[in-house]
Amino acid sequence: MKTKVLIIEDNEQSQYLATFVLERNGYEVISAGDGRTGIDLAEQSNPALVLLDIQLPIMDGYAVVSAMKKKPMLAQIPIVAVTSCAMSGDRERMLNAGCSGYIEKPINPETFIQEVERHLPRPGASPGENNE
Ligand code: MN
């Protein structure tokens, strides 16, 4: 069974590139263009990892990560913020809100998969046991 990754990103080009690289590497990708839809999708499809943009319509990334961490069903899913280099203040804020890490945008197709996989739970590990 393919590992499912949820991308919450309103920029079509960014979403397309991330989806393309993930699918080429054998992942199943589901995506949402706003925060509210992203949370609904996470509840419906229980992804292994969420890639989260920060500037989003309806709910921004900070509101999304805060809401997901309050839901027992979603709290264990690692969330990786995808942030533009210029917005370094956002990173601290997203990490404090519960993100597992961040990836710089624009994504680098050469290193993107390794960066994503650093945050994926290892196969067979129980939720919450995916740290060293
Ligand atoms: Mn955006």
Side-chain angles (χ1 to χ4, degrees), residues 5 17-18 21-22 25 27 48-52 78-85 91 95 99-121 130:
V5 174
L17 181 59
V21 176
L22 284 162
N25 284 274
Y27 291 90
L49 179 122
V50 177
L51 291 171
L52 178 63
I79 303 174
V80 178
V82 184
T83 71
S84 18
C85 320
R91 291 178 188 160
L95 293 175
C99 281
S100 307
Y102 61 83
I103 293 176
E104 276 185 11
K105 195 155 76 168
I107 65 164
N108 178 350
E110 303 283 321
T111 56
F112 182 62
I113 288 296
Q114 290 99 294
E115 292 184 86
V116 167
E117 287 177 348
R118 278 176 46 207
H119 300 285
L120 271 173
N130 53 338

Short mmCIF file of all heavy atoms in Angstrom, two decimals, residues 5 17-18 21-22 25 27 48-52 78-85 91 95 99-121 130:
data_model
loop_
_atom_site.label_atom_id
_atom_site.label_comp_id
_atom_site.label_asym_id
_atom_site.label_seq_id
_atom_site.Cartn_x
_atom_site.Cartn_y
_atom_site.Cartn_z
N VAL A 5 0.39 11.10 1.40
CA VAL A 5 0.82 12.42 1.86
C VAL A 5 -0.24 13.44 1.47
O VAL A 5 -0.72 13.46 0.33
CB VAL A 5 2.17 12.80 1.21
CG1 VAL A 5 2.57 14.24 1.55
CG2 VAL A 5 3.28 11.84 1.65
N LEU A 17 4.25 20.69 -8.46
CA LEU A 17 5.63 20.20 -8.39
C LEU A 17 5.80 19.20 -7.25
O LEU A 17 6.39 18.13 -7.43
CB LEU A 17 6.60 21.38 -8.23
CG LEU A 17 8.08 21.02 -8.16
CD1 LEU A 17 8.53 20.27 -9.41
CD2 LEU A 17 8.93 22.27 -7.97
N ALA A 18 5.28 19.53 -6.08
CA ALA A 18 5.40 18.62 -4.94
C ALA A 18 4.69 17.30 -5.23
O ALA A 18 5.22 16.22 -4.94
CB ALA A 18 4.82 19.27 -3.68
N VAL A 21 6.78 15.16 -7.76
CA VAL A 21 7.98 14.52 -7.18
C VAL A 21 7.56 13.38 -6.24
O VAL A 21 8.14 12.29 -6.27
CB VAL A 21 8.85 15.56 -6.44
CG1 VAL A 21 10.03 14.89 -5.76
CG2 VAL A 21 9.34 16.63 -7.42
N LEU A 22 6.53 13.60 -5.44
CA LEU A 22 6.08 12.55 -4.52
C LEU A 22 5.55 11.34 -5.28
O LEU A 22 5.88 10.20 -4.95
CB LEU A 22 5.01 13.10 -3.58
CG LEU A 22 5.52 14.00 -2.45
CD1 LEU A 22 4.38 14.83 -1.86
CD2 LEU A 22 6.20 13.18 -1.35
N ASN A 25 8.05 9.13 -6.73
CA ASN A 25 8.76 8.35 -5.73
C ASN A 25 7.85 7.35 -5.02
O ASN A 25 8.20 6.82 -3.96
CB ASN A 25 9.45 9.28 -4.73
CG ASN A 25 10.70 9.90 -5.32
OD1 ASN A 25 11.79 9.31 -5.26
ND2 ASN A 25 10.57 11.06 -5.93
N TYR A 27 4.65 7.71 -3.77
CA TYR A 27 3.68 8.14 -2.77
C TYR A 27 2.33 8.40 -3.41
O TYR A 27 2.24 8.76 -4.58
CB TYR A 27 4.15 9.41 -2.06
CG TYR A 27 5.35 9.15 -1.18
CD1 TYR A 27 6.64 9.28 -1.69
CD2 TYR A 27 5.18 8.73 0.13
CE1 TYR A 27 7.75 9.01 -0.89
CE2 TYR A 27 6.28 8.46 0.93
CZ TYR A 27 7.55 8.59 0.41
OH TYR A 27 8.63 8.31 1.19
N ALA A 48 -0.14 9.84 6.17
CA ALA A 48 1.04 9.56 6.99
C ALA A 48 1.78 10.85 7.34
O ALA A 48 2.52 10.90 8.32
CB ALA A 48 1.98 8.62 6.25
N LEU A 49 1.57 11.88 6.52
CA LEU A 49 2.28 13.15 6.71
C LEU A 49 1.52 14.26 6.01
O LEU A 49 0.86 14.02 4.99
CB LEU A 49 3.69 13.02 6.11
CG LEU A 49 4.60 14.25 6.19
CD1 LEU A 49 5.88 13.90 6.93
CD2 LEU A 49 4.98 14.78 4.83
N VAL A 50 1.63 15.46 6.56
CA VAL A 50 0.99 16.63 5.93
C VAL A 50 2.07 17.65 5.59
O VAL A 50 2.93 17.96 6.42
CB VAL A 50 -0.04 17.29 6.88
CG1 VAL A 50 -0.63 18.55 6.25
CG2 VAL A 50 -1.15 16.31 7.24
N LEU A 51 2.05 18.13 4.36
CA LEU A 51 2.89 19.26 3.95
C LEU A 51 2.00 20.48 3.93
O LEU A 51 0.96 20.49 3.26
CB LEU A 51 3.47 19.00 2.55
CG LEU A 51 4.50 17.88 2.46
CD1 LEU A 51 4.81 17.57 1.00
CD2 LEU A 51 5.76 18.24 3.22
N LEU A 52 2.39 21.50 4.68
CA LEU A 52 1.48 22.62 4.93
C LEU A 52 2.09 23.96 4.55
O LEU A 52 3.11 24.38 5.10
CB LEU A 52 1.13 22.61 6.43
CG LEU A 52 0.22 23.70 6.96
CD1 LEU A 52 -1.16 23.64 6.32
CD2 LEU A 52 0.10 23.57 8.48
N PRO A 78 2.57 13.77 11.54
CA PRO A 78 3.59 14.81 11.41
C PRO A 78 3.19 15.85 10.37
O PRO A 78 2.66 15.51 9.31
CB PRO A 78 4.85 14.06 10.97
CG PRO A 78 4.43 12.69 10.62
CD PRO A 78 3.04 12.45 11.13
N ILE A 79 3.42 17.11 10.71
CA ILE A 79 3.10 18.22 9.80
C ILE A 79 4.40 18.96 9.51
O ILE A 79 5.11 19.35 10.43
CB ILE A 79 2.08 19.19 10.43
CG1 ILE A 79 0.81 18.45 10.82
CG2 ILE A 79 1.77 20.34 9.46
CD1 ILE A 79 -0.20 19.31 11.59
N VAL A 80 4.69 19.11 8.23
CA VAL A 80 5.90 19.82 7.82
C VAL A 80 5.48 21.11 7.14
O VAL A 80 4.74 21.09 6.15
CB VAL A 80 6.76 18.95 6.88
CG1 VAL A 80 8.00 19.70 6.42
CG2 VAL A 80 7.16 17.64 7.57
N ALA A 81 5.93 22.24 7.68
CA ALA A 81 5.61 23.53 7.08
C ALA A 81 6.46 23.72 5.84
O ALA A 81 7.64 23.35 5.82
CB ALA A 81 5.88 24.64 8.09
N VAL A 82 5.84 24.26 4.80
CA VAL A 82 6.59 24.59 3.59
C VAL A 82 6.61 26.11 3.51
O VAL A 82 5.58 26.74 3.32
CB VAL A 82 5.94 23.95 2.35
CG1 VAL A 82 6.77 24.23 1.11
CG2 VAL A 82 5.79 22.44 2.54
N THR A 83 7.78 26.69 3.75
CA THR A 83 7.88 28.14 3.93
C THR A 83 8.85 28.77 2.94
O THR A 83 9.85 28.17 2.61
CB THR A 83 8.41 28.48 5.35
OG1 THR A 83 9.79 28.12 5.44
CG2 THR A 83 7.63 27.74 6.41
N SER A 84 8.53 29.98 2.50
CA SER A 84 9.50 30.65 1.65
C SER A 84 10.65 31.16 2.50
O SER A 84 10.49 31.50 3.67
CB SER A 84 8.89 31.79 0.85
OG SER A 84 7.68 32.19 1.38
N CYS A 85 11.81 31.18 1.88
CA CYS A 85 13.05 31.51 2.59
C CYS A 85 12.95 32.85 3.31
O CYS A 85 13.49 33.03 4.40
CB CYS A 85 14.22 31.59 1.61
SG CYS A 85 14.17 30.34 0.35
N ARG A 91 8.81 30.22 10.64
CA ARG A 91 9.29 28.88 10.98
C ARG A 91 9.17 28.63 12.47
O ARG A 91 8.65 27.61 12.90
CB ARG A 91 10.75 28.73 10.58
CG ARG A 91 10.90 28.72 9.10
CD ARG A 91 12.35 28.62 8.76
NE ARG A 91 12.52 28.79 7.33
CZ ARG A 91 13.66 29.14 6.76
NH1 ARG A 91 14.73 29.35 7.51
NH2 ARG A 91 13.74 29.25 5.46
N LEU A 95 6.90 25.82 14.21
CA LEU A 95 7.49 24.78 15.05
C LEU A 95 6.86 24.84 16.45
O LEU A 95 6.53 23.81 17.03
CB LEU A 95 9.01 24.93 15.13
CG LEU A 95 9.78 24.69 13.81
CD1 LEU A 95 11.26 25.00 13.98
CD2 LEU A 95 9.60 23.26 13.30
N CYS A 99 4.54 21.88 14.40
CA CYS A 99 5.10 21.29 13.18
C CYS A 99 6.36 20.50 13.52
O CYS A 99 7.10 20.85 14.43
CB CYS A 99 5.45 22.37 12.16
SG CYS A 99 4.01 22.97 11.27
N SER A 100 6.59 19.42 12.77
CA SER A 100 7.77 18.59 12.97
C SER A 100 9.01 19.22 12.35
O SER A 100 10.13 18.84 12.67
CB SER A 100 7.57 17.22 12.33
OG SER A 100 6.39 16.64 12.77
N GLY A 101 8.80 20.12 11.42
CA GLY A 101 9.94 20.73 10.74
C GLY A 101 9.44 21.60 9.62
O GLY A 101 8.24 21.86 9.51
N TYR A 102 10.36 22.05 8.79
CA TYR A 102 9.95 22.86 7.65
C TYR A 102 10.83 22.55 6.45
O TYR A 102 11.95 22.05 6.59
CB TYR A 102 10.00 24.35 7.97
CG TYR A 102 11.36 24.86 8.35
CD1 TYR A 102 12.28 25.21 7.35
CD2 TYR A 102 11.74 24.96 9.67
CE1 TYR A 102 13.54 25.65 7.69
CE2 TYR A 102 13.00 25.40 10.02
CZ TYR A 102 13.90 25.75 9.03
OH TYR A 102 15.15 26.18 9.37
N ILE A 103 10.29 22.82 5.30
CA ILE A 103 11.00 22.67 4.04
C ILE A 103 10.90 24.02 3.33
O ILE A 103 9.85 24.66 3.34
CB ILE A 103 10.37 21.55 3.18
CG1 ILE A 103 10.58 20.18 3.84
CG2 ILE A 103 10.96 21.55 1.76
CD1 ILE A 103 9.92 19.02 3.12
N GLU A 104 12.02 24.44 2.76
CA GLU A 104 12.02 25.73 2.09
C GLU A 104 11.34 25.67 0.73
O GLU A 104 11.47 24.71 -0.01
CB GLU A 104 13.47 26.21 1.89
CG GLU A 104 13.99 26.90 3.11
CD GLU A 104 15.38 27.48 2.89
OE1 GLU A 104 15.83 27.52 1.72
OE2 GLU A 104 15.99 27.88 3.88
N LYS A 105 10.63 26.74 0.46
CA LYS A 105 9.95 26.91 -0.82
C LYS A 105 10.68 28.01 -1.60
O LYS A 105 11.05 29.00 -0.98
CB LYS A 105 8.51 27.32 -0.54
CG LYS A 105 7.57 27.19 -1.71
CD LYS A 105 6.15 27.02 -1.24
CE LYS A 105 5.55 28.33 -0.75
NZ LYS A 105 4.09 28.19 -0.56
N PRO A 106 10.90 27.96 -2.88
CA PRO A 106 10.49 26.85 -3.75
C PRO A 106 11.22 25.56 -3.42
O PRO A 106 12.40 25.59 -3.07
CB PRO A 106 10.87 27.35 -5.14
CG PRO A 106 11.91 28.39 -4.94
CD PRO A 106 11.62 29.02 -3.61
N ILE A 107 10.50 24.44 -3.52
CA ILE A 107 11.10 23.17 -3.18
C ILE A 107 12.17 22.80 -4.20
O ILE A 107 12.08 23.16 -5.37
CB ILE A 107 10.06 22.03 -3.06
CG1 ILE A 107 9.38 21.73 -4.38
CG2 ILE A 107 9.05 22.36 -1.97
CD1 ILE A 107 8.66 20.39 -4.40
N ASN A 108 13.17 22.11 -3.72
CA ASN A 108 14.23 21.61 -4.58
C ASN A 108 13.93 20.15 -4.91
O ASN A 108 13.98 19.29 -4.03
CB ASN A 108 15.56 21.72 -3.81
CG ASN A 108 16.72 21.17 -4.62
OD1 ASN A 108 16.55 20.55 -5.66
ND2 ASN A 108 17.92 21.41 -4.12
N PRO A 109 13.58 19.87 -6.17
CA PRO A 109 13.19 18.50 -6.52
C PRO A 109 14.28 17.46 -6.23
O PRO A 109 13.97 16.30 -6.02
CB PRO A 109 12.92 18.57 -8.03
CG PRO A 109 12.69 20.01 -8.32
CD PRO A 109 13.52 20.78 -7.32
N GLU A 110 15.53 17.92 -6.16
CA GLU A 110 16.65 16.98 -5.91
C GLU A 110 16.66 16.48 -4.47
O GLU A 110 17.10 15.38 -4.19
CB GLU A 110 17.99 17.69 -6.17
CG GLU A 110 18.14 18.27 -7.56
CD GLU A 110 18.43 17.20 -8.59
OE1 GLU A 110 19.19 16.27 -8.27
OE2 GLU A 110 17.89 17.29 -9.70
N THR A 111 16.22 17.33 -3.55
CA THR A 111 16.36 16.98 -2.13
C THR A 111 15.01 16.84 -1.42
O THR A 111 14.96 16.44 -0.26
CB THR A 111 17.17 18.07 -1.38
OG1 THR A 111 16.51 19.34 -1.58
CG2 THR A 111 18.59 18.17 -1.93
N PHE A 112 13.94 17.14 -2.13
CA PHE A 112 12.62 17.20 -1.51
C PHE A 112 12.22 15.88 -0.84
O PHE A 112 11.75 15.87 0.31
CB PHE A 112 11.59 17.60 -2.58
CG PHE A 112 10.19 17.74 -2.08
CD1 PHE A 112 9.87 18.68 -1.11
CD2 PHE A 112 9.17 16.94 -2.58
CE1 PHE A 112 8.56 18.83 -0.65
CE2 PHE A 112 7.87 17.08 -2.14
CZ PHE A 112 7.56 18.02 -1.18
N ILE A 113 12.44 14.76 -1.53
CA ILE A 113 12.01 13.47 -0.97
C ILE A 113 12.76 13.14 0.31
O ILE A 113 12.15 12.71 1.30
CB ILE A 113 12.17 12.35 -2.03
CG1 ILE A 113 11.09 12.50 -3.11
CG2 ILE A 113 12.08 10.96 -1.39
CD1 ILE A 113 9.65 12.35 -2.62
N GLN A 114 14.08 13.36 0.31
CA GLN A 114 14.84 13.10 1.54
C GLN A 114 14.32 13.97 2.68
O GLN A 114 14.21 13.51 3.82
CB GLN A 114 16.34 13.39 1.36
CG GLN A 114 17.06 12.41 0.47
CD GLN A 114 17.22 12.98 -0.94
OE1 GLN A 114 16.24 13.17 -1.64
NE2 GLN A 114 18.45 13.24 -1.34
N GLU A 115 13.99 15.22 2.36
CA GLU A 115 13.49 16.11 3.41
C GLU A 115 12.15 15.62 3.95
O GLU A 115 11.92 15.63 5.15
CB GLU A 115 13.36 17.54 2.87
CG GLU A 115 14.71 18.17 2.56
CD GLU A 115 14.54 19.62 2.11
OE1 GLU A 115 14.50 20.49 2.99
OE2 GLU A 115 14.45 19.87 0.90
N VAL A 116 11.28 15.19 3.04
CA VAL A 116 9.97 14.67 3.46
C VAL A 116 10.16 13.41 4.30
O VAL A 116 9.55 13.25 5.36
CB VAL A 116 9.10 14.36 2.23
CG1 VAL A 116 7.88 13.54 2.62
CG2 VAL A 116 8.68 15.65 1.52
N GLU A 117 11.05 12.52 3.87
CA GLU A 117 11.18 11.22 4.53
C GLU A 117 11.80 11.34 5.93
O GLU A 117 11.60 10.46 6.76
CB GLU A 117 11.97 10.26 3.63
CG GLU A 117 11.07 9.83 2.47
CD GLU A 117 11.74 8.93 1.44
OE1 GLU A 117 12.98 8.80 1.47
OE2 GLU A 117 11.00 8.37 0.60
N ARG A 118 12.51 12.41 6.17
CA ARG A 118 13.03 12.64 7.53
C ARG A 118 11.91 12.75 8.54
O ARG A 118 12.10 12.52 9.72
CB ARG A 118 13.84 13.93 7.57
CG ARG A 118 15.28 13.75 7.09
CD ARG A 118 16.01 15.08 7.06
NE ARG A 118 15.78 15.84 8.31
CZ ARG A 118 15.82 17.16 8.39
NH1 ARG A 118 16.07 17.88 7.32
NH2 ARG A 118 15.61 17.76 9.53
N HIS A 119 10.74 13.14 8.06
CA HIS A 119 9.62 13.39 8.98
C HIS A 119 8.56 12.30 8.96
O HIS A 119 7.60 12.37 9.71
CB HIS A 119 8.98 14.75 8.66
CG HIS A 119 9.95 15.88 8.78
ND1 HIS A 119 10.37 16.36 9.99
CD2 HIS A 119 10.61 16.59 7.84
CE1 HIS A 119 11.25 17.33 9.78
NE2 HIS A 119 11.40 17.49 8.49
N LEU A 120 8.73 11.32 8.10
CA LEU A 120 7.75 10.24 8.02
C LEU A 120 7.99 9.23 9.12
O LEU A 120 9.14 8.88 9.38
CB LEU A 120 7.87 9.51 6.68
CG LEU A 120 7.05 10.05 5.52
CD1 LEU A 120 7.45 9.30 4.25
CD2 LEU A 120 5.56 9.89 5.77
N PRO A 121 6.92 8.76 9.75
CA PRO A 121 7.10 7.69 10.73
C PRO A 121 7.69 6.46 10.04
O PRO A 121 7.37 6.20 8.88
CB PRO A 121 5.67 7.39 11.20
CG PRO A 121 4.84 8.53 10.74
CD PRO A 121 5.53 9.12 9.55
N ASN A 130 7.92 7.50 16.71
CA ASN A 130 8.71 7.67 15.50
C ASN A 130 9.94 8.53 15.71
O ASN A 130 10.62 8.88 14.77
CB ASN A 130 7.84 8.21 14.36
CG ASN A 130 7.11 9.45 14.76
OD1 ASN A 130 6.90 9.69 15.94
ND2 ASN A 130 6.70 10.25 13.79
#
